[in-house]
Amino acid sequence: MLIIVVSHAVLHKWLATIVSIQLVIWLGTGLYFGLADDPKASGNQFRQKVEHKSEGLQTPTLVALEKLSSELTDVKRVSLVWRLDKPYYLAFFQETAHGYQKQSVKWFDAETGALSVINENYVTEVAQQSLKHTEKAKLMENAKINLISTGTKDIPSERNAIWAVALNNTDNTTIYISDVSRKVIAHVDDHKRLKNLMFQLHFMDYFNTGGFNNIFSKVFALLTLMLAITGIRWLFISKVWKGKFVK
C-alpha cells in the first residue's frame, strides 16, 4: 500500500510541475497582452490602405470572357478586380473559405486578355503605397524582395505564395503581399514578432501553425485532468484508505 501512495504522490507532483510551468507562461503572456502598446504590437503603425482604383476612374473597354474560354476550363468563379488603377479578371480554379488557405488562381489583363504575372515592380509599388512613413521612399531604396512559396514563420497560417519586401529600418519591417490576391496581407516588424511569440506561448502553438487547436493544447488538457484525478486519488488513499487500516 505504501508503494501505491508514493507512486501517486510522485506522479501528482510531476504533473503539478508541468501544469504550473504552463500556468506561469499564461500569466506572463497575459501580462504582456495587458501592457503591450497596441499600435506598435500590431505592426501597423506605419501601414495605410492601398487604393487600387482611383476615385472617378472610368472603366475601359474590356475583353469578353468568352474569348478566354480556352483558359477558363474548370474555373469556379471569375471576378473583375482592380489593382493599381488597372482592371483584371481574377479566375479561381480552387477557392477556399479563408484567403490564407491554399488556392489556385489565374490573372488576366481585362483589356487585352493576356495572362498576367506579378513582378517585382508591382510588388514595390504596392508596398510603397501601403506605407504612411514620412521617409517611405528612402525605406524602399534598399528593400529586399523575395517570393516565398513555402511559408514563413511571420505568418504561420499562410498556405499560398507570398512576396516579402524587407525594409531597411531599425524595426526590421517586412511587408507581405499575397501572390493570390495581390494585396498587402501584413506588415510585420520586431514588435509584431514579439507579439507573435507571446501568442505562440500563450496558445501552446509550439509547432507555429498559427492556431490554438494543436496537439499541445490537447495534451495539456489531458495532463490537467490527470493532475486532478491523481490529486483526488492521493487524498483518498492518504486520508481515508490509510486512516481506515491504521486504526
Side-chain angles (χ1 to χ4, degrees):
M1 184 59 64
L2 180 59
I3 296 176
I4 296 176
V5 173
V6 171
S7 64
H8 275 85
V10 172
L11 177 59
H12 183 76
K13 289 177 181 178
W14 273 107
L15 289 171
T17 301
I18 295 171
V19 171
S20 297
I21 291 172
Q22 184 58 48
L23 289 175
V24 170
I25 292 174
W26 277 345
L27 290 172
T29 53
L31 181 62
Y32 164 82
F33 293 136
L35 299 177
D37 185 326
D38 286 340
K40 282 188 176 182
S42 68
N44 294 324
Q45 59 177 330
F46 296 120
R47 181 179 175 180
Q48 65 183 1
K49 183 179 179 181
V50 178
E51 298 294 341
H52 284 283
K53 184 180 181 182
S54 300
E55 186 176 353
L57 185 65
Q58 298 296 316
T59 302
T61 303
L62 305 179
V63 172
L65 282 176
E66 289 75 11
K67 293 185 178 181
L68 301 175
S69 58
S70 61
E71 297 280 356
L72 299 177
T73 305
D74 297 326
V75 70
K76 305 298 182 183
R77 180 171 64 89
V78 179
S79 297
L80 176 65
V81 297
W82 290 79
R83 295 292 183 268
L84 299 182
D85 286 339
K86 186 172 179 61
Y88 295 91
Y89 287 126
L90 174 55
F92 289 87
F93 293 85
Q94 179 184 344
E95 189 174 14
T96 56
H98 303 285
Y100 59 82
Q101 295 173 321
K102 186 66 177 177
Q103 300 185 74
S104 176
V105 303
K106 283 185 179 180
W107 286 76
F108 299 92
D109 188 317
E111 296 180 83
T112 65
L115 189 66
S116 172
V117 179
I118 195 171
N119 54 43
E120 290 191 6
N121 291 334
Y122 173 91
V123 170
T124 301
E125 180 64 23
V126 172
Q128 183 163 328
Q129 288 195 24
S130 75
L131 280 169
K132 60 181 178 182
H133 198 285
T134 54
E135 298 183 357
K136 63 180 181 180
K138 183 178 180 180
L139 290 175
M140 292 297 300
E141 284 181 0
N142 299 315
K144 296 180 180 179
I145 302 175
N146 292 298
L147 176 62
I148 303 173
S149 58
T150 56
T152 171
K153 63 181 180 180
D154 280 349
I155 314 177
S157 60
E158 184 61 51
R159 297 294 178 266
N160 298 291
I162 52 177
W163 291 82
V165 182
L167 305 184
N168 182 29
N169 66 342
T170 56
D171 291 333
N172 298 309
T173 302
T174 300
I175 301 172
Y176 290 101
I177 299 171
S178 171
D179 194 59
V180 171
S181 69
R182 300 190 179 181
K183 287 184 174 182
V184 174
I185 55 177
H187 279 205
V188 180
D189 57 19
D190 288 341
H191 301 288
K192 176 64 173 176
R193 292 184 183 97
L194 176 59
K195 183 179 180 180
N196 288 345
L197 175 61
M198 294 297 105
F199 267 114
Q200 185 178 356
L201 294 173
H202 194 76
F203 292 110
M204 295 180 287
D205 183 21
Y206 299 121
F207 286 154
N208 201 29
T209 61
F212 58 86
N213 185 20
N214 55 66
I215 185 63
F216 291 103
S217 296
K218 297 172 183 177
V219 169
F220 183 77
L222 179 61
L223 292 178
T224 305
L225 176 62
M226 290 175 62
L227 176 65
I229 293 174
T230 55
I232 294 172
R233 186 176 177 84
W234 184 20
L235 178 65
F236 176 79
I237 292 174
S238 61
K239 299 298 183 183
V240 180
W241 185 272
K242 183 180 177 181
K244 178 181 178 180
F245 285 94
V246 166
K247 293 180 180 179

